[in-house]
Amino acid sequence: MLQFRDNEGAPTVINRADYTAPAYRIDTVELTFDLDPAKTRVLNKMTLRRNPDVPAQALKLDGEELNLARVLVNGQGTSFKMDGERLVLENLPEGNEPFQLEIFTTCAPVKNTKLSGLYTSNDSFFTQCEAEGFRRITYFLDRPDVMAMYTVTLRADKAKYPVLLSNGNLVDSGTLEDGRHFAKWVDPHKKPCYLFALVAGQLVAREQRITSRAGKDHLLQVFVRPGDLDKTEHAMNSLMASVAWDEARFGLPLDLERFMIVATADFNMGAMENKGLNIFNSKYVLANQATATDVDFANIESVVGHEYFHNWTGNRITCRDWFQLSLKEGLTVFRDQEFSQDMCFEPSARAVKRIEDVRVLRTAQFPEDAGPMAHPVRPDSYIEINNFYTVTIYEKGAEVVRMMQTLVGRDGFAKGMKLYFERFDGQAVTCDDFAQSMADANPSSSLAQLLPQFKLWYSQAGTPRLSARGSFDAAAQTYTLQFTQSCAATANQATKQAFVIPVLLGLVGSNSGAALPLTVQGSSDAAADNHLFVMTGDTASITFTGVAEEPVPSILRGFSAPVVLDFDYSDAQLLTLLANDPDPFNRWEAGQRLALRSAINAIVDTSASTGASVLNDAYLSAMRSVLRSPQLDAAFKELVLTLPGETYIAEQLDVVDPQRIHAVREAMRLQIATGLQADWEWAFDAHQDNGAYSPDATSAGRRALAGMSLSYLCLAATQSGDAVWPGKALQRFKDAGNMTDQANALQALVTSGHALATPALARFHAMFKHEDLVLDKWFALQAGAPDRGGNVLPAVRQLMTHADFNIRNPNRARSVIFSYCNANPGGFHRADAAGYVYWAERVIELDGINPQVAARLARALDRWKRLAEPYRSAAREALARVAAKSDLSNDVREVIDRALAD
Ligand code: B3K
Ligand code: ZN
């Protein structure tokens, strides 16, 4: 059981089972803001009604850090009391007639370092209301199932805040006395308060008028600070592509006359889908070839798409309660993944995107599912909902939606979406409602037949393991695969029921390397290249007939389910798949399995020195074939040649020695660098592009492979003392025509530990000292650099004293602190515990500023229990040091208490 303090402000556990409908409905909200950084006045006039389905009771409005000045009911003063921070009204009119409630409060945006509610950034005003920030603006029923119509009037100094924005349509504006002005906005759609937004400040906009398929005109705007307009073209293109895609793929049009995106430098997450007024972390808006890498361009397309797609999946149909968060997030991640794939056009680029998405799932979500914060896609309880914007809700949630599409087919999925909107448009609903719509729209599908069991994906936490064994009967020409599934216990879920696991299968001839046609025993279906086997029991088997040669099974093609697959492949079988599998995902996976196996053998064989050769010749020559292949795309090659990360390797081990993992992986990198040196030289030269910069997937893949080549060449050269390639890297760093090539060259110097890294870093800083997002890269590169003799932590402490460091800016804090604690295991896990001491200091420091950011950092030690000594004891001590603070936020308290729980 979790233990919590029992003093004032003791955290309350919120349980899904306790959901009750709101006792009051709010039909309309009229907000008037007098914006002032130190004291903003908020007048909130609401029309409310009692909910006749709920027993009569007092109205309890949420509030946080507000100064209450006045409350009127139907224009008259009224008695009220406070219950903690809640405003309680007991003497409301009887009956079910609507009544007016007027609440006048003030708040202090300039003091709001939590960046939740109304805050200032660079002398402008912004809001962030999801999940529970609206209560920091005014007293309200701050829950997603209360949907209202909003009218918003903003008043502010005209010179300081010339642009005044809120949701919906601008219906009036004008000047006021004393140099002030106003703007009045009406949102034509009802919405939950978490989608409310306002922005006020000195902003300029890129504008684009578009006409939808239905012939409607819309205005698209991307607002940024003056001087940043030259970095908005890609975001605007991404927005236009998103609008077109949702109409084409799902028949979902833009339902607003005006759609705005605003960038801010201070933002807790990536972006926010406020109705018609998306507010973005500038990292996901601003890009040009001189300041942003290919990865930045791809992320912008994906996040712009994601927020836009929320306009239907999240905004038109929202969540009944926050336990249903994956209803909008899992579905919308699935939609943005599909969008990014569709934007690739080339089939191989689609596969690359899929591999990247799976890599995120396996390196971030699988550990979450096995750690102290494990929770189902639809959680059963939480203390701080902001802690549940997780890879499980987002990425695993997207995999659950993807499995539905696999089970009902692409057209069936579109039908399910249509039915979902027919049934629930304008409502706040549940994950069950979505799954039921999918099933009902596809009544003969396996999803419909298996729906209650399928929904265990929503209720059971943990990553299932799927074990498979194959047997070939040469005489009968049959091949049988036997499967068993299991899932480890997670908090409050000791035993698990069997999941529905869609397993996409193929067979590859072990001699010929050919794709073998699949005929399933007992089925009359014609032979096919792929077979979708839907596993429902604890065990199952399938037999293929007419199998002419011993096959190598290609299981879980395209990663058809979010499970760990155990199959005792021989090296030879993996080499066959790596060379021949028509499924690009499993082709990549075969290479990963080979590398992982070598890594694990070297890690657990403590008699061997970590400098010994880890990778065998067969692996290196297979990698050479991939690198030199005329058929494969550069982006795919780069993925195959990327070794499994240290975190992913750690997840395969019961006892984790991070320094040994780091040393073994570094030894592998060096072997790849030196063993393939001539091939890297060829690859670097063969992937030069001199034409105009374009961030498309194919060009980006070529740059990625050239960057990887340069990195390995510098690594090999630094070891051998050869100066040629580091010199070339420095030259490339100076000459690069785009940030991708420039950052890759800099990274090659930094990660190889070459002395030229120092002048290159100084030059980079001088070049970009006025570009915040580029400076973030400069900080992150140093905090994430491979550790050499414990040099990274002192460098990190030094970076924190740099004039450009500012812990209050989440991007900057992440670029230094998170890059070190979360993304640099070799530097962070120090035998002298100094990394953990630094972590504890920063968690406590950040918690006093911004609990959401602090709680993310707190999770860096989630997996401490599996660490080997001395790391384990030192990590526990660091956790205990944080836990001992009596004034922690609920955010950090929940994460730390879970980590320390038995
Ligand atoms: N819905 C927001 C996330 C809000 C997080 C609040 N702590 C962004 C997104 O998923 O699109
Ligand atoms: Zn989202």
Side-chain angles (χ1 to χ4, degrees):
M1 264 312 290
L2 297 178
Q3 298 292 316
F4 295 109
R5 296 160 302 159
D6 193 13
N7 56 14
E8 25 99 31
T12 317
V13 179
I14 318 280
N15 293 302
R16 184 168 61 86
D18 295 342
Y19 173 83
T20 53
Y24 292 80
R25 302 282 177 198
I26 303 177
D27 294 323
T28 63
V29 184
E30 219 182 303
L31 295 168
T32 306
F33 288 85
D34 274 299
L35 292 166
D36 181 291
K39 188 175 180 184
T40 288
R41 296 157 199 275
V42 183
L43 177 60
N44 169 9
K45 288 189 188 179
M46 295 175 269
T47 316
L48 293 94
R49 293 172 284 132
R50 289 179 191 270
N51 179 354
D53 304 333
V54 171
Q57 54 193 278
L59 174 63
K60 293 187 175 177
L61 297 172
D62 304 295
E64 198 180 292
E65 292 182 34
L66 297 172
N67 304 307
L68 178 60
R70 192 174 74 216
V71 185
L72 302 178
V73 173
N74 289 334
Q76 305 293 312
T78 184
S79 63
F80 60 84
K81 62 182 192 191
M82 302 305 295
D83 171 10
E85 289 211 277
R86 282 178 159 187
L87 172 65
V88 182
L89 297 169
E90 286 170 330
N91 301 319
L92 293 169
E94 305 281 328
N96 292 333
E97 290 306 303
F99 61 93
Q100 306 292 319
L101 181 59
E102 230 173 282
I103 301 176
F104 186 68
T105 52
T106 65
C107 57
V110 76
K111 290 195 192 146
N112 184 356
T113 59
K114 295 181 181 173
L115 311 186
S116 164
L118 177 64
Y119 64 94
T120 56
S121 159
N122 283 306
D123 300 321
S124 296
F125 290 91
F126 297 93
T127 54
Q128 171 55 37
C129 294
E130 189 179 2
E132 296 177 336
F134 194 71
R135 65 186 61 183
R136 296 167 57 77
I137 296 175
T138 183
Y139 287 99
F140 207 74
L141 290 173
D142 190 356
R143 44 187 288 170
D145 57 354
V146 172
M147 296 172 85
M149 301 293 290
Y150 284 69
T151 301
V152 177
T153 303
L154 304 176
R155 299 199 288 233
D157 185 277
K158 189 171 183 177
K160 287 189 192 148
Y161 311 104
V163 173
L164 301 174
L165 308 174
S166 191
N167 318 83
N169 297 317
L170 181 65
V171 296
D172 197 7
S173 63
T175 48
L176 300 165
E177 288 172 359
D178 301 334
R180 292 170 75 77
H181 70 146
F182 78 95
K184 184 173 179 184
W185 294 81
V186 176
D187 189 341
H189 299 278
K190 66 177 181 168
K191 63 172 177 284
C193 65
Y194 80 85
L195 292 174
F196 164 81
L198 77 78
V199 172
Q202 303 230 17
L203 299 164
V204 289
R206 173 185 287 267
E207 302 198 336
Q208 178 78 46
R209 288 182 193 278
I210 58 164
T211 306
S212 67
R213 288 188 162 204
K216 287 220 169 106
D217 291 330
H218 309 271
L219 173 63
L220 309 181
Q221 294 173 303
V222 178
F223 286 89
V224 294
R225 279 154 67 185
D228 280 336
L229 266 185
D230 64 336
K231 302 193 192 83
T232 53
E233 183 184 4
H234 183 64
M236 181 59 89
N237 287 344
S238 302
L239 180 56
M240 288 193 289
S242 305
V243 176
W245 183 85
D246 219 6
E247 263 195 297
R249 173 98 180 241
F250 290 114
L252 297 172
L254 175 53
D255 61 0
L256 292 156
E257 288 165 32
R258 180 201 277 247
F259 191 90
M260 298 170 276
I261 286 178
V262 187
T264 172
D266 293 285
F267 206 66
N268 281 347
M269 321 83 55
M272 178 63 211
E273 69 264 24
N274 315 301
K275 186 80 188 183
L277 180 56
N278 287 187
I279 298 181
F280 271 59
N281 185 326
S282 50
K283 182 175 164 63
Y284 297 109
V285 175
L286 304 180
N288 63 30
Q289 71 183 71
T291 60
T293 62
D294 295 332
V295 172
D296 296 324
F297 275 85
N299 286 342
I300 289 170
E301 180 181 272
S302 153
V303 178
V304 168
H306 181 96
E307 306 311 330
Y308 178 75
F309 304 141
H310 267 315
N311 194 44
W312 283 92
T313 50
N315 299 5
R316 288 285 287 248
I317 302 184
T318 193
C319 303
R320 186 193 72 172
D321 53 72
W322 290 124
F323 297 102
Q324 318 297 329
L325 184 55
S326 199
L327 171 73
K328 75 178 179 76
E329 295 305 347
L331 176 54
T332 305
V333 170
F334 169 77
R335 276 152 54 70
D336 83 53
Q337 290 176 346
E338 292 287 286
F339 165 64
S340 293
Q341 286 204 357
D342 286 351
M343 294 295 287
C344 286
F345 306 110
E346 297 284 335
S348 64
R350 298 177 69 92
V352 163
K353 169 69 178 150
R354 178 68 184 141
I355 292 167
E356 288 167 350
D357 291 340
V358 173
R359 213 162 50 169
V360 170
L361 184 85
R362 293 208 299 209
T363 51
Q365 198 278 326
F366 281 18
E368 179 166 274
D369 238 350
M373 284 291 289
H375 54 277
V377 168
R378 184 191 52 212
D380 292 316
S381 68
Y382 60 77
I383 289 172
E384 173 50 64
I385 184 57
N386 286 316
N387 284 334
F388 287 83
Y389 286 74
T390 59
V391 271
T392 298
I393 302 295
Y394 278 66
E395 270 70 25
K396 186 175 182 181
E399 293 300 319
V400 173
V401 173
R402 183 173 297 280
M403 285 189 287
M404 290 192 204
Q405 176 171 266
T406 302
L407 293 175
V408 303
R410 207 174 136 111
D411 292 345
F413 189 82
K415 273 196 233 158
M417 287 282 281
K418 191 160 176 280
L419 184 59
Y420 175 59
F421 285 105
E422 278 165 17
R423 285 184 180 170
F424 301 115
D425 190 11
Q427 298 179 43
V429 305
T430 63
C431 298
D432 286 327
D433 293 325
F434 178 76
Q436 195 66 51
S437 301
M438 272 298 148
D440 290 351
N442 298 279
S444 56
S445 67
S446 49
L447 179 68
Q449 274 131 41
L450 300 167
L451 190 63
Q453 190 189 354
F454 182 85
K455 288 199 301 187
L456 294 169
W457 283 109
Y458 283 107
S459 58
Q460 294 188 152
T463 306
R465 284 195 99 86
L466 179 65
S467 301
R469 277 197 337 205
S471 51
F472 178 57
D473 183 336
Q477 296 204 334
T478 59
Y479 183 74
T480 300
L481 276 168
Q482 286 181 299
F483 294 100
T484 56
Q485 63 163 301
S486 62
C487 182
T490 47
N492 303 324
Q493 291 184 338
T495 55
K496 310 284 167 93
Q497 295 173 52
F499 289 88
V500 175
I501 303 180
V503 189
L504 192 62
L505 292 167
L507 296 178
V508 175
S510 57
N511 296 322
S512 64
L516 305 178
L518 305 178
T519 307
V520 179
Q521 193 170 61
S523 153
S524 53
D525 292 348
D529 294 337
N530 284 308
H531 177 73
L532 182 67
F533 176 64
V534 181
M535 164 129 184
T536 54
D538 291 322
T539 63
S541 75
I542 181 170
T543 298
F544 297 102
T545 57
V547 183
E549 60 173 306
E550 173 146 26
V552 183
S554 171
I555 307 172
L556 215 65
R557 283 185 158 171
F559 201 67
S560 57
V563 301
V564 175
L565 172 65
D566 290 323
F567 186 91
D568 192 14
Y569 285 110
S570 66
D571 279 10
Q573 287 179 314
L574 290 172
L575 289 166
T576 299
L577 292 178
L578 176 60
N580 302 294
D581 198 327
D583 180 66
F585 179 84
N586 271 357
R587 203 167 176 178
W588 168 79
E589 175 77 330
Q592 294 290 297
R593 281 177 186 267
L594 283 165
L596 193 60
R597 176 176 299 173
S598 300
I600 289 173
N601 288 341
I603 290 161
V604 298
D605 180 6
T606 44
S607 64
S609 92
T610 49
S613 72
V614 176
L615 298 164
N616 57 34
D617 289 345
Y619 177 82
L620 289 173
S621 95
M623 288 299 122
R624 181 175 298 117
S625 306
V626 168
L627 188 53
R628 296 262 187 179
S629 163
Q631 276 90 37
L632 297 172
D633 274 3
F636 182 73
K637 293 179 181 182
E638 199 264 344
L639 285 178
V640 174
L641 282 143
T642 300
L643 290 169
E646 289 174 32
T647 313
Y648 186 63
I649 297 172
E651 276 309 303
Q652 321 304 315
L653 298 163
D654 294 329
V655 180
V656 173
D657 177 342
Q659 289 304 334
R660 190 160 177 90
I661 294 175
H662 179 64
V664 166
R665 191 172 181 276
E666 286 299 296
M668 293 164 83
R669 286 186 358 98
L670 191 57
Q671 251 190 297
I672 292 178
T674 51
L676 303 184
Q677 187 160 354
D679 309 282
W680 291 122
E681 289 181 9
W682 165 82
F684 182 73
D685 291 338
H687 293 90
Q688 300 301 318
D689 276 328
N690 298 317
Y693 173 82
S694 153
D696 68 273
T698 308
S699 316
R702 292 174 61 80
R703 279 187 289 273
L705 191 59
M708 174 182 251
S709 308
L710 192 57
S711 196
Y712 276 126
L713 289 164
C714 285
L715 185 63
T718 306
Q719 290 293 318
S720 66
D722 172 47
V724 174
W725 280 100
K728 282 195 187 184
L730 184 65
Q731 201 52 45
R732 171 132 177 137
F733 166 75
K734 291 179 182 166
D735 300 344
N738 59 72
M739 177 50 74
T740 306
D741 287 341
Q742 189 169 29
N744 283 345
L746 182 60
Q747 172 132 29
L749 289 171
V750 171
T751 56
S752 65
H754 197 275
L756 287 177
T758 307
L761 280 165
R763 189 184 171 106
F764 193 70
H765 183 272
M767 276 178 85
F768 294 107
K769 57 176 175 289
H770 301 303
E771 297 283 356
D772 282 344
L773 296 171
V774 186
L775 284 188
D776 288 337
K777 296 182 197 303
W778 182 82
F779 278 107
L781 194 53
Q782 296 174 76
D787 197 70
R788 291 191 170 76
N791 66 338
V792 179
L793 180 58
V796 164
R797 289 197 181 269
Q798 190 63 34
L799 286 172
M800 287 186 60
T801 66
H802 194 282
D804 293 322
F805 183 75
N806 170 13
I807 199 168
R808 284 166 195 261
N809 174 255
N811 286 356
R812 194 54 52 83
R814 284 187 277 257
S815 73
V816 176
I817 304 168
F818 287 54
S819 295
Y820 175 65
C821 298
N822 287 15
N824 191 348
F828 177 56
H829 296 279
R830 294 167 55 114
D832 67 1
Y836 305 154
V837 171
Y838 171 83
W839 166 86
E841 288 166 6
R842 298 292 81 73
V843 170
I844 291 168
E845 182 181 3
L846 275 167
D847 199 34
I849 299 167
N850 188 329
Q852 282 187 43
V853 174
R856 296 274 156 168
L857 180 64
R859 298 203 48 196
L861 283 182
D862 264 9
R863 301 290 276 142
W864 70 275
K865 281 188 182 161
R866 298 210 314 175
L867 292 172
E869 291 298 351
Y871 309 102
R872 189 175 194 272
S873 298
R876 183 177 39 216
E877 213 171 291
L879 282 156
R881 179 188 291 223
V882 177
K885 288 278 294 175
S886 59
D887 56 350
L888 288 181
S889 66
N890 282 352
D891 307 59
V892 168
R893 175 69 56 193
E894 181 173 32
V895 170
I896 298 288
D897 282 352
R898 277 200 186 224
L900 285 172
D902 293 328

